[in-house]
Each structure stands twice: as C-alpha cells, then as structure tokens.
C-alpha cells in the first residue's frame, strides 16, 4: 500500500475547500468540516476514535467490507456512539498501476455491474452493522473506472447512495457541490498538525466547507501521527463556536440543501 499511499497523497494534496453561504451551518457557525477516515483501519479504532470521543466530535468511517475482519463488534460500537459509517465497497478495486494486488482486486478486471453490486452488498452489510438504510459512498482509490468504463453515471441513477466522496477538483470555489463528486482533501504521511491546522484555518477564514480524508492515524499506512491528529482536534475544539465539525452526510445535507 505504500506506493498507493504516495500516489494518493500526491493526487489529493490540493485545496478542495468550497465556499458556503453565510448562515448555512447550524448554530450560526461560520464554516464546516467533515472528518472522514478510509479503509476500516485498526489505528482508527485504537487512536482516532478515542481522540474524537474525547473531543466530543463525530467522524465518518468509510469501511471496506473485506477489511472489517475481526472488528465487527467494534465498528458496531462506533456506530452506536453516533459516528457515521460509510460505504467504500467490499473489495476496494483499484487500478493495477497503483500498487501490487491480486488480480481480482484490479479495477480493470471489474465492470460497472460488478461495482454497483459491490456497493449494494456493502450497503447491506453496513445496514446490518448500524441499522441505517442510507449510506454515503467514497470511491476506492479516488476513481470511478471499472473494466474500462466509468460507473459514476450508472451510480447516479441507481439509488444506492446520495453522496459520493471523490478526489476531484471542485473547479471554481463558488461552484455548487455535485453530490456525486464531493471534493475532499487528504492528509497523510509527513503532514504535521500545523499543516492541517493551516488548511482548516483557511477554510474558517473563507467561511467555507471542507471534507478532510485520513487513512491511518498513528499506525497502519498513509498515516498522520497520533499527535498531529490530536493537534488538529484541539484546534477544532478551540474554535468550535466558529467551525462546525459534522458527519459527512449531515454536512453535505446542509451544503447541498437536501435536508
Ligand atoms: Zn480506500
């Protein structure tokens, strides 16, 4: 996964914050942040979630079905505490060029139909865990090709999800958010607390909204350190009267006026 880590970090290390209208956020907040965590990694259970709980924040965890492994009851407890679980497919197929993987996990060997079945099956698994019928989706490896075809057009009309977290550029900062191409900004290896805080400070000053992505926290891969993650949460706590930290779906509901 290290090679993937570098590629994803490079691809996603762009400013993906978009502007929000004043007064859009609950409680008169000026800006909104969604903290999202990918791949069902144990370091999220061991480090990120206890830090979030201590700060009183809710995160969003995009789970891979095959990575839940022995942690099913722990993820059930995470959902019961009010964190959001999201769909990151069952097998997480990615382009073969990104990193070493068995051929059954290469997106070139998948298809639009298989990918939609993956998403539907993962929705069912998530519903068995958290009792919810509505789950956001995050694209594995930030891309939507399966068997050489783009599955996003089919996903838009499949009624499997309302929001797709992408790694796409928002283009113009004032542009409305496409619910099926929600921009995100990833932090990973080598990113300090100060760097993450500077990014969020920019979002706060602009009165914007941003979706932040993580993989490992203090372990696993693509990881930020536990200390850096804690520093970001401390900053968000210190600015909680101005910055709303919400679950991905509730932030998007506000940002797109769907709820
Ligand atoms: Zn992933």
């Amino acid at each position: 996964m290290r090679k993937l880590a570098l590629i994803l970090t490079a691809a996603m290390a762009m400013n993906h914050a978009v502007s929000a209208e004043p007064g859009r956020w609950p409680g008169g907040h000026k800006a909104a942040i969604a903290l999202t965590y990918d791949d069902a990694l144990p370091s999220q259970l061991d480090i990120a979630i206890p830090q979030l709980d201590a700060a009183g924040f809710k995160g969003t965890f995009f789970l891979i079905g095959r990575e839940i492994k022995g942690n099913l009851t722990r993820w059930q407890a995470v959902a019961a505490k009010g964190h959001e679980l999201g769909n990151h497919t069952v097998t997480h197929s990615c382009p073969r060029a990104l990193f070493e993987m068995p051929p059954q996990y290469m997106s070139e060997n998948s298809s639009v139909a298989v990918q939609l079945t993956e998403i539907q099956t993962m929705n069912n698994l998530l519903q068995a865990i958290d009792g919810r019928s509505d789950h956001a989706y995050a694209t594995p490896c930030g891309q939507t090709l399966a068997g050489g075809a783009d599955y996003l057009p089919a996903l838009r009309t499949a009624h499997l999800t309302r929001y797709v977290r992408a790694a796409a550029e928002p283009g113009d900062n004032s542009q409305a958010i496409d619910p099926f191409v929600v921009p995100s900004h990833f932090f990973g290896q080598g990113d300090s607390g100060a760097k993450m805080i500077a990014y969020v400070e920019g979002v706060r000053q602009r009165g914007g909204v941003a979706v932040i992505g993580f993989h490992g926290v203090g372990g696993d891969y693509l990881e930020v350190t536990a200390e850096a993650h804690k520093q970001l949460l401390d900053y968000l706590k210190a600015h909680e009267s101005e910055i709303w930290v919400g679950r991905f779906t509730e932030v998007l509901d506000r940002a797109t006026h769907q709820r």
Side-chain angles (χ1 to χ4, degrees), residues 54 149 187 192 198 257:
F187 289 109
S192 65
H257 309 285

Side-chain angles (χ1 to χ4, degrees), residues 185-189 191 195-196 199 212-215 222 224:
H185 186 97
F186 270 72
F187 289 109
Q189 234 153 14
D191 288 335
K195 180 178 176 178
M196 295 192 281
Y199 172 76
I212 293 177
F214 296 100
H215 289 90
L222 276 173
V224 297

Side-chain angles (χ1 to χ4, degrees), residues 122-147:
M122 192 62 201
N123 274 344
N124 292 340
L125 176 53
L126 290 170
Q127 187 169 11
I129 296 173
D130 66 13
R132 296 175 178 273
S133 57
D134 180 26
H135 293 99
Y137 175 66
T139 55
C141 290
Q143 63 97 46
T144 56
L145 285 176

Side-chain angles (χ1 to χ4, degrees), residues 1 4 8 38-39 64 88 92 94 139-141 165 215 221:
M1 294 296 273
L4 167 67
L8 281 181
D38 288 13
D39 298 358
I64 302 171
H88 204 35
H92 198 283
C94 284
T139 55
C141 290
R165 200 207 61 201
H215 289 90
Y221 50 81

Side-chain angles (χ1 to χ4, degrees), residues 123-204:
N123 274 344
N124 292 340
L125 176 53
L126 290 170
Q127 187 169 11
I129 296 173
D130 66 13
R132 296 175 178 273
S133 57
D134 180 26
H135 293 99
Y137 175 66
T139 55
C141 290
Q143 63 97 46
T144 56
L145 285 176
D150 187 354
Y151 66 82
L152 192 59
L155 185 57
R156 284 180 186 274
T157 57
H159 302 292
L160 292 174
T161 190
R162 294 190 295 125
Y163 298 119
V164 176
R165 200 207 61 201
E169 285 276 19
D172 182 301
N173 256 8
S174 61
Q175 202 175 308
I177 297 172
D178 177 347
F180 282 77
V181 190
V182 177
S184 57
H185 186 97
F186 270 72
F187 289 109
Q189 234 153 14
D191 288 335
S192 65
K195 180 178 176 178
M196 295 192 281
I197 289 166
Y199 172 76
V200 174
E201 177 62 18
V203 176
R204 184 183 73 85

Side-chain angles (χ1 to χ4, degrees), residues 57-59 76-85 132 247 250:
F57 294 139
K58 304 303 179 198
Q76 281 174 325
V78 167
K81 277 191 284 197
H83 298 286
E84 178 180 14
L85 303 185
R132 296 175 178 273
R247 302 169 191 86
E250 62 185 354

